[in-house]
Amino acid sequence: MQNRITELFKIEFPIIQGGMVWTSGWRLASAVSNAGGLGVIGSGSMYPDVLREHIQKCKRATQKPFAVNVPMLYPDIDKLMDIILEEGVKIVFTSAGNPKTWTLFLKEKGITVVHVVSSLKFALKAQEAGVDAIVAEGFEAGGHNGRDETTTLVLIPAVREQITIPLIAAGGIATGKAMLAAMVLGADGVQVGSRFVASEEASNHIKFKEVVVNAKEGDTQLTLKELAPVRLIKNKFYQEVQKAYAEGATTEELKMLLGRGRAKKGMFLGDLEDGELEIGQVSALIHDIKPAGEIIKDLMNEFYKRKAELSSL
């Protein structure tokens, strides 16, 4: 299957694994890349020396392309970028910030740059900044999210109408049917996050994976928009946040309630009560934990099957 995304990244299938904190280490990234997608190391939860270790291990585990995702709000981003250059990473996904800050710097070093956005306005800014492709992520997605609450179903065609560079759809995509739908809407490929949380190679805690596969429709909610919008499983911590809202908590009080390390506590250490459990709405459609390679096969088999069924109508 060849299109603008497979050609840009030199991969077999237009499937990109989301670079998620506490989940997307070298094992997951290399497994996805070896299966024909684009694996992505999520640097947002890594100290610089830890990122270097993951890049080096990923290079040993796969001969195929992989990427690093860098949230631009990361406090030591200069150190991360230095490591990316020193280790010869060829593809960088940037998120949570102004794409103009690093795009030219990276492209001058021969690196392919992709920026993650949640609105048409930011997609246009990213294209203007010179990125090679855009990930447009809808409101359904897990983790930190856009403030406008635009769904993938609306966002993808809106962005497609006004940009010319390759477009990757994200948010609510965990099946081949959803992948086909996203591409019918104008995407050249898809970024899959939540489905890979429930993979054997994901570095998050097994207890978190089990919560994901047991989640039902309505079990997640976007909250904490005053700080940074985030979609969470409705656990004890989430209920404490809702109680704080009901009592008229200020932004500062919400910040104190959140504290530090909530995401690590929940997703990496497996504290299902007091931790932050970031996952997308599509968790309601995820029912098992399996190897990343099998997830890629499932996506592509269902994609081709449904495409053939529609072609026969």
Side-chain angles (χ1 to χ4, degrees):
M1 181 178 181
Q2 293 297 303
N3 67 8
R4 294 201 293 174
I5 288 298
T6 59
E7 291 171 5
L8 178 65
F9 299 138
K10 296 178 174 54
I11 56 179
E12 187 176 356
F13 307 120
I15 299 173
I16 290 83
Q17 163 246 313
M20 302 164 285
V21 296
W22 303 116
T23 292
S24 305
W26 70 270
R27 288 185 179 85
L28 178 57
S30 62
V32 170
S33 290
N34 283 331
L38 182 70
V40 182
I41 296 173
S43 70
S45 53
M46 297 179 181
Y47 291 115
D49 59 331
V50 174
L51 174 61
R52 188 187 298 278
E53 178 184 351
H54 278 262
I55 292 172
Q56 291 177 348
K57 288 183 176 179
C58 198
K59 287 193 292 187
R60 290 195 291 268
T62 183
Q63 300 302 308
K64 297 186 177 182
F66 68 91
V68 173
N69 175 272
V70 182
M72 288 189 289
L73 298 178
Y74 190 95
D76 288 324
I77 190 169
D78 291 18
K79 295 179 181 178
L80 296 187
M81 292 301 187
D82 286 344
I83 289 168
I84 284 168
L85 294 179
E86 291 165 8
E87 294 297 333
V89 174
K90 299 300 184 185
I91 306 167
V92 171
F93 282 60
T94 55
S95 58
N98 186 346
K100 290 184 178 180
T101 309
W102 287 99
T103 297
L104 182 60
F105 171 85
L106 293 169
K107 286 179 68 66
E108 286 178 343
K109 306 297 189 295
I111 294 173
T112 298
V113 181
V114 184
H115 192 63
V116 183
V117 303
S118 60
S119 69
L120 172 59
K121 177 177 71 174
F122 291 123
L124 292 171
K125 287 181 180 295
Q127 179 172 258
E128 182 184 346
V131 302
D132 296 288
I134 287 169
V135 175
E137 184 178 78
F139 170 67
E140 301 95 325
H144 292 288
N145 216 315
R147 297 181 182 277
D148 295 332
E149 301 189 5
T150 306
T151 65
T152 304
L153 192 67
V154 174
L155 182 61
I156 298 308
V159 173
R160 178 76 288 161
E161 281 184 355
Q162 296 198 43
I163 70 165
T164 58
I165 59 177
L167 173 61
I168 301 162
I173 301 169
T175 65
K177 292 176 184 177
M179 177 180 172
L180 178 59
M183 296 179 78
V184 169
L185 290 172
D188 299 290
V190 295
Q191 178 173 285
V192 177
S194 295
R195 184 63 190 95
F196 285 116
V197 168
S199 67
E200 291 182 1
E201 297 88 351
S203 53
N204 49 271
H205 201 282
I206 183 60
K207 289 182 180 179
F208 178 44
K209 296 179 188 184
E210 291 170 349
V211 166
V212 171
V213 299
N214 288 313
K216 303 294 187 295
E217 186 274 325
D219 282 355
T220 72
Q221 183 71 42
L222 193 75
T223 189
L224 292 172
K225 292 183 73 172
E226 296 84 351
L227 306 181
V230 61
R231 181 173 295 283
L232 304 174
I233 288 280
K234 296 175 181 177
N235 64 347
K236 177 173 172 283
F237 167 65
Y238 168 83
Q239 298 301 336
E240 289 173 354
V241 171
Q242 297 309 109
K243 181 181 178 183
Y245 275 122
E247 294 174 352
T250 64
T251 300
E252 192 59 35
E253 287 170 336
L254 289 172
K255 191 178 296 185
M256 290 179 62
L257 174 60
L258 176 61
R260 293 179 60 84
R262 284 275 187 183
K264 180 179 181 180
K265 179 184 287 188
M267 295 186 286
F268 192 68
L269 299 178
D271 186 338
L272 304 184
E273 295 297 320
D274 294 316
E276 197 175 67
L277 305 178
E278 303 178 7
I279 201 69
Q281 288 182 337
V282 79
S283 55
L285 303 179
I286 300 169
H287 307 305
D288 51 17
I289 301 166
K290 56 175 57 178
E294 288 189 24
I295 292 172
I296 296 281
K297 287 180 183 177
D298 290 346
L299 285 166
M300 293 310 305
N301 287 340
E302 187 176 76
F303 174 89
Y304 285 126
K305 179 182 177 182
R306 188 55 179 152
K307 186 178 181 182
E309 290 171 348
L310 292 175
S311 297
S312 67
L313 294 178

